[in-house]
Amino acid sequence: MTVLVTGGAGYIGSHTVVELLNAGYEVVIVDDLSNAKADVIDRIQTITGKSPAFHPINCADKGGLCNVFRSYNINAVIHFAGFKAVGESVKKPLEYYRNNLDSTLTLLEVMEAFDCHKLVFSSSATVYGPNNPHPYREEMPAIQSSSPYGWTKVMIERILTDYCTAHPEFSAILLRYFNPIGAHKSGLLGDDPNGIPNNLMPYIGRVAAGQLEKLTIFGGDYETPDGTCQRDYLHVVDLAIGHLKALEYAQNNSGAEAINLGTGNGISVLELVTAFEKVNNMKLPYEIGPRRDGDLPAFWADATKAKELLGWEATHTVEDMCKSSWEFAKKSKES
């Protein structure tokens, strides 16, 4: 079975490609490298002993995407391609709407042209918006958000749901992730964005490695136990395995199905920093800064549905996440 992975050179995409290859799937990656590095493909091969096909094109390039589908017998798609930073999306809304919506619409048009009916979509817990209580459950209204990034996820979920209604044979699994962190046990793959990181753990890693002066925590006056935001942090390898489980589910089902992937536990930013310091035996310089636009005080998952439908549960601890993140940051600094 051949799976197209859009955004497959990125953080979550690359870990998912590793799990797919190890499970015996043939993999084709499409990634324009706008937020990834080309050597990730070599690292995937080093880890798995297998080399995925790679095409450095934007997912909104319809002609390029059609050429990829003509070259391979693609049976299913896992769709990661898209901009993903909440704070940046508030400052650059047009870029986020254009990129994330265009890439998905183009992908669906090409999948339809080539009779491909199985899709796993990289959605987000941000679709639950600011008004639902936590823990978030899939039956809650998911038609609002606090950022343009989140709104693109809301809109794409709506597009996929409507498409499934019009095409009853189509299966779209809408995976609503919470906050993936951590890295592959080899230390070869991790969250290594271009430029200054927007997400917490790669920023922590670069501070720990001496590449950035200090960590700024956005907001210390939220209504949480220590004043910092609480999130449901899960290991990226657990998340990657969740995509394989979703792919298996899609093979035997049709229609749109939203499923949370999280641990069910809320951890504050300060708690994560403290865990990183403890497990890696170091102190991190940090300061409390102003709140960041688009951030919510607290949320975490109810992951019951993932266990019931997919047989999936997160297995890695916060300590695992912090330790693997530092191993990756050290190797990245050395290279």
Side-chain angles (χ1 to χ4, degrees):
M1 180 176 177
T2 301
V3 182
L4 173 67
V5 182
T6 73
Y11 173 45
I12 305 171
S14 61
H15 284 84
T16 301
V17 168
V18 166
E19 298 302 324
L20 287 167
L21 291 171
N22 285 340
Y25 291 93
E26 297 294 323
V27 177
V28 181
I29 295 173
V30 166
D31 196 308
D32 67 359
L33 302 179
S34 61
N35 197 33
K37 296 177 174 64
D39 68 352
V40 166
I41 308 303
D42 296 330
R43 295 181 183 211
I44 290 171
Q45 183 173 13
T46 299
I47 292 169
T48 65
K50 302 174 184 178
S51 183
F54 171 58
H55 296 268
I57 62 172
N58 189 289
C59 200
D61 176 358
K62 191 170 186 177
L65 206 55
C66 283
N67 288 336
V68 171
F69 271 79
R70 289 190 191 100
S71 300
Y72 308 92
N73 181 27
I74 293 171
N75 308 109
V77 178
I78 301 180
H79 183 34
F80 294 105
F83 296 155
K84 63 177 185 176
V86 170
E88 183 182 62
S89 76
V90 175
K91 298 174 182 176
K92 301 178 180 179
L94 294 184
E95 291 183 25
Y96 272 71
Y97 286 119
R98 173 69 71 185
N99 182 74
N100 293 5
L101 297 179
D102 277 4
S103 61
T104 303
L105 291 168
T106 301
L107 176 63
L108 284 173
E109 290 170 348
V110 175
M111 288 180 70
E112 182 174 335
F114 287 86
D115 205 28
C116 183
H117 306 299
K118 306 298 178 184
L119 176 69
V120 177
F121 173 58
S122 168
S123 191
S124 168
T126 59
V127 301
Y128 291 109
N131 298 320
N132 282 311
H134 45 262
Y136 291 159
R137 299 186 305 276
E138 290 87 350
E139 64 268 22
M140 290 176 173
I143 52 173
Q144 54 187 318
S145 186
S146 58
S147 69
Y149 161 76
W151 276 112
T152 68
K153 298 299 186 181
V154 171
M155 292 175 183
I156 293 169
E157 283 201 9
R158 182 73 259 168
I159 290 166
L160 292 172
T161 301
D162 290 344
Y163 188 81
C164 287
T165 299
H167 300 268
E169 75 283 2
F170 198 88
S171 178
I173 311 302
L174 316 174
L175 294 182
R176 295 172 178 169
Y177 328 149
F178 283 69
N179 289 71
I181 58 174
H184 191 267
K185 62 183 179 181
S186 66
L188 293 175
L189 292 178
D191 196 354
D192 189 23
N194 296 328
I196 302 297
N198 285 295
N199 293 331
L200 177 60
M201 187 54 84
Y203 206 108
I204 288 175
R206 293 188 190 180
V207 170
Q211 295 169 306
L212 293 172
E213 179 184 359
K214 61 185 174 183
L215 169 69
T216 298
I217 295 173
F218 297 111
D221 58 350
Y222 287 101
E223 292 183 7
T224 59
D226 62 19
T228 64
C229 291
Q230 290 177 303
R231 295 291 183 264
D232 188 337
Y233 296 101
L234 74 156
H235 199 290
V236 66
V237 173
D238 282 333
L239 183 58
I241 292 169
H243 288 77
L244 270 67
K245 297 287 189 180
L247 189 62
E248 293 167 3
Y249 184 84
Q251 300 310 304
N252 301 307
N253 294 276
S254 60
E257 192 76 61
I259 303 174
N260 290 338
L261 292 183
T263 67
N265 299 309
I267 300 169
S268 77
V269 173
L270 275 178
E271 286 174 326
L272 187 67
V273 169
T274 299
F276 188 96
E277 291 177 328
K278 182 177 179 180
V279 75
N280 296 310
N281 192 28
M282 66 173 64
K283 294 296 291 183
L284 292 171
Y286 68 84
E287 65 178 8
I288 305 295
R291 295 185 181 191
R292 181 173 59 179
D293 291 341
D295 279 342
L296 298 177
F299 58 81
W300 53 85
D302 180 331
T304 304
K305 188 174 181 180
K307 183 177 181 179
E308 293 176 347
L309 291 190
L310 307 182
W312 177 90
E313 286 184 283
T315 61
H316 291 77
T317 65
V318 174
E319 289 74 22
D320 294 332
M321 301 175 209
C322 292
K323 186 174 180 59
S324 63
S325 294
W326 176 227
E327 291 301 316
F328 173 72
K330 285 191 292 185
K331 284 199 174 185
S332 297
K333 181 182 179 183
E334 292 166 3
S335 62

